[in-house]
Amino acid sequence: MSELPLLLLAMIAVVNPAAVALAASVEAAPALEQRRWLALPALALAVALVAAAALLHERWLDALDVSAASFEAAAGFVLLAAALVTLVRGRAVEAGLLATRSPRGYAAALAFPVSAGPAVLVAAIAYAERGGAGATLAAAAVALVLAALASAAAPLPLPARSALWLGVAARTLAALLAVLAVGLIVDGLRAV
């Protein structure tokens, strides 16, 4: 299997569109029609944040004064923490931030930290160092588009059966993320 499909799978696991959909379905969120048009500016902001992380990955490592291997191990721990939160809660920890009727507040929170949170940005830097900034950005953009579509389509209130299946999907992606995180930790520690 080539590097790009694995990178795409990793970025989908990190962004976790199912967890984003669950987060976007909080009852105090804007109405479905309003969320649909808010998804586009949120997506643009999230992609811009990830682009800054991926395309400037070498500068971030220099600014932090860490080696790529050390950062990879640290990124693995950040991803593992994010995976454990989603495994336990079934949704992103930042879901409460979307409980606002303010369109600007909702779009900003959907972009950061719900869709492109710290784990996504750290993963973008680590994977850009590993597999190239362009491929990382492309994979992240696909994952963020899926998250934007999921957030725009989540009905309010979320039917119980939909919530169940989204919870299962979110936890499955979180379990995959935990495996990927351990791989980053081991690879980073081996290289140090």
Side-chain angles (χ1 to χ4, degrees):
M1 186 176 244
S2 75
E3 189 75 22
L4 189 58
L6 291 174
L7 187 55
L8 179 61
L9 186 61
M11 292 311 290
I12 289 172
V14 176
V15 172
N16 201 333
V20 171
L22 283 171
S25 66
V26 294
E27 288 190 32
L32 182 61
E33 186 175 307
Q34 193 174 29
R35 281 186 290 125
R36 285 184 178 151
W37 67 263
L38 288 173
L40 189 58
L43 173 63
L45 181 56
V47 170
L49 290 169
V50 171
L55 297 174
L56 301 172
H57 67 277
E58 291 173 348
R59 289 191 180 166
W60 286 111
L61 294 178
D62 290 342
L64 295 171
D65 195 27
V66 295
S67 68
S70 296
F71 188 87
E72 190 171 307
F77 285 110
V78 171
L79 297 182
L80 186 58
L84 293 176
V85 166
T86 305
L87 278 169
V88 170
R89 296 187 72 193
R91 59 178 169 77
V93 70
E94 300 87 0
L97 295 173
L98 296 177
T100 177
R101 295 286 181 199
S102 164
R104 287 183 184 170
Y106 179 86
L110 183 60
F112 180 84
V114 175
S115 296
V120 175
L121 299 178
V122 166
I125 295 169
Y127 284 119
E129 186 65 30
R130 257 185 164 195
T136 299
L137 182 56
V142 169
L144 290 168
V145 165
L146 292 174
L149 291 172
S151 71
L156 291 177
L158 194 62
R161 182 168 281 173
S162 297
L164 173 70
W165 286 111
L166 282 172
V168 168
R171 284 183 170 96
T172 301
L173 287 171
L176 174 62
L177 180 58
V179 170
L180 294 169
V182 170
L184 281 175
I185 293 167
V186 169
D187 289 348
L189 292 176
R190 278 188 188 162
V192 171

